[in-house]
Amino acid sequence: MEPIRALVLSGGGGRGAFHAGVYQYLEEIGWDPQVVVGTSIGAVNGAAIVGGMNAKQLAQVWHSLEEHNIQGLPPGMRGLARWIAHKSFGDIMDANLPQVKPEEATSPTPDHFWPPLPLLPRWLAERLVGRWINLLDTGPLKRTLYRRFGFDEKKIAESAKTLLIAATNVQTGERVLFSNRAVSKYETGEPRRDVFPGITAERILASCSIPLVYPWTYDEATRAHYWDGAVVANTPLGAALDAMKNAPIDVPAQVVVVLMTPWWEAGQAAPQAARRMPDSFGEAITWTLDWALLASFRERLRLIDAYNRFAERERAEGPGPYQYRLVDVVIVAPQDFLSAARIIDYDGDVSAKLIEMGYTAAKQAFQTHVVG
């Protein structure tokens, strides 16, 4: 029996080129997902896939991207702060980021701000530094969604594939999902209250709104402000299973989860990258961030293992009807840590390497994966 398939794309900013390589391999072997779940850059790539973009086209987009296609300095940032930002970002990115025009910007201008130059008069500090509460602006990303990733709200709404994207409510800390169709709870069949209908460019921006780095995004329909979904759930695996509710329960599921962090199963030898301690401040940040992002996924994976044991017991006892679906999870992950600095670094040459890494990782994952 052919399984129903779901693709879960984790967040990771400029590391998202890895997704494109994974999708190239999946397309090559004819693995076509009926459900796509994306967080942050995973929401961007997921929307492109559900909107009809093929693997070659997605890879071409990533080859063409540069930093200024994704972000710029907020319009409220003044001269001294811009100079400091350029100096700081110069160690991470090649681009001399331009300031986003006010009519394109997504950044709010705060009424109150902490003056970084407290010894100077407030008016002078404001003139030198400006008013801003996020380091970068996502106005260019919104433009790129349409021009490069081919975002089309109507195509996504009419797609046969289900798309869910994750965001975090700034004021409550709750994870929410936006989807192109209704989703019910796996256990009860009741509609999920944390899933809101409709995929818009603003909601994709919401999923990408890394706290402090990018501005939060306001959603008019839900009257709420959102940050990046990875703040609380970088790989919402449960949402993928709930989106399969319309498929008969005796149809098994196969879920491909694409991580941006080295992964190994219990009992397996750790990859070479994790057999040592981080030897720099940058590596320590990368490890801390990646392990934090994986925490909720590990818990969900344990829950799926428990459900699978129930499903196997049901099938051993008789022909049904069944309550639990058998779920096979294939994890695709890099062999080494991908620098945290790459989250805001978009460069075509590096993206090419990440695409190749994603393809190789997916091929290896499928060749070595044992069902169950």
Side-chain angles (χ1 to χ4, degrees):
M1 184 184 297
E2 277 291 306
I4 182 171
R5 295 171 174 142
L7 177 62
V8 180
L9 301 173
S10 64
R15 302 188 287 186
F18 187 84
H19 294 159
V22 173
Y23 193 53
Q24 278 188 331
Y25 180 76
L26 295 180
E27 191 175 89
E28 187 176 288
I29 64 173
W31 196 95
D32 186 35
Q34 288 84 50
V35 177
V36 178
V37 183
T39 301
S40 197
I41 200 63
V44 174
N45 287 331
I49 291 169
V50 173
M53 185 172 284
N54 62 37
K56 182 178 179 180
Q57 291 170 329
L58 185 59
Q60 287 174 339
V61 170
W62 275 97
H63 278 294
S64 71
L65 289 180
E66 300 292 341
E67 286 88 356
H68 66 270
N69 301 130
I70 304 297
Q71 60 218 355
L73 300 180
M77 189 177 283
R78 301 295 184 190
L80 179 61
R82 291 200 301 268
W83 180 82
I84 294 173
H86 284 141
K87 286 291 184 182
S88 301
F89 295 144
D91 294 334
I92 301 173
M93 301 178 289
D94 293 332
N96 186 17
L97 286 179
Q99 195 161 26
V100 179
K101 296 178 180 178
E103 60 269 22
E104 185 185 46
T106 56
S107 300
T109 301
D111 293 330
H112 304 284
F113 75 113
W114 173 73
L117 302 174
L119 298 180
L120 296 178
R122 185 178 181 88
W123 67 268
L124 181 56
E126 184 172 349
R127 178 168 295 181
L128 291 172
V129 176
R131 292 193 180 201
W132 42 275
I133 52 176
N134 46 274
L135 296 173
L136 298 171
D137 187 275
T138 50
L141 173 58
K142 185 175 181 179
R143 182 180 67 243
T144 297
L145 283 175
Y146 288 102
R147 295 184 181 179
R148 301 287 183 92
F149 286 96
F151 177 74
D152 187 321
E153 188 174 329
K154 183 178 180 182
K155 278 186 180 180
I156 291 176
E158 296 175 350
S159 175
K161 300 180 188 296
T162 298
L163 173 65
L164 296 102
I165 61 176
T168 302
N169 188 305
V170 174
Q171 293 171 291
T172 67
E174 295 174 299
R175 194 280 314 278
V176 302
L177 296 160
F178 301 110
S179 179
N180 60 343
R181 52 183 47 87
V183 177
S184 300
K185 292 181 181 179
Y186 177 81
E187 297 88 349
T188 65
E190 300 174 351
R192 287 185 58 148
R193 294 182 179 179
D194 62 341
V195 178
F196 299 97
I199 302 292
T200 65
E202 286 74 18
R203 288 178 168 182
I204 295 175
L205 288 184
S207 186
C208 297
S209 298
I210 302 171
L212 304 181
V213 177
Y214 299 132
W216 54 62
T217 302
Y218 181 71
D219 180 61
E220 187 70 39
T222 56
R223 296 182 180 180
H225 297 82
Y226 295 100
W227 269 332
D228 194 313
V231 172
V232 291
N234 196 35
T235 48
L237 192 52
L241 301 181
D242 285 347
M244 298 175 177
K245 191 65 182 178
N246 292 333
I249 202 71
D250 59 334
V251 176
Q254 186 171 62
V255 184
V256 171
V257 181
V258 186
L259 304 176
M260 302 291 190
T261 301
W263 174 270
W264 62 98
E265 302 289 351
Q268 292 181 335
Q272 191 67 35
R275 296 177 192 174
R276 58 177 178 79
M277 297 299 290
D279 60 6
S280 69
F281 184 71
E283 281 199 352
I285 291 175
T286 298
W287 287 40
T288 301
L289 175 64
D290 285 347
W291 295 151
L293 293 176
L294 274 183
S296 62
F297 174 67
R298 293 183 191 278
E299 291 300 318
R300 178 55 66 172
L301 205 56
R302 293 189 188 99
L303 189 58
I304 287 176
D305 287 341
Y307 280 140
N308 275 338
R309 288 195 291 272
F310 289 138
E312 289 165 357
R313 182 180 301 174
E314 282 184 325
R315 284 153 180 78
E317 292 175 350
Y322 302 129
Q323 185 178 357
Y324 300 99
R325 190 189 308 278
L326 282 167
V327 180
D328 178 37
V329 180
V330 181
I331 300 172
V332 180
Q335 290 294 309
D336 201 351
F337 289 93
L338 305 179
S339 171
R342 178 65 191 176
I343 291 176
I344 60 171
D345 182 14
Y346 291 77
D347 178 86
D349 293 339
V350 179
S351 291
K353 295 176 183 177
L354 289 172
I355 291 169
E356 184 178 347
M357 287 173 57
Y359 180 92
T360 301
K363 184 176 183 179
Q364 182 178 8
F366 271 82
Q367 289 178 344
T368 59
H369 180 70
V370 177
V371 177

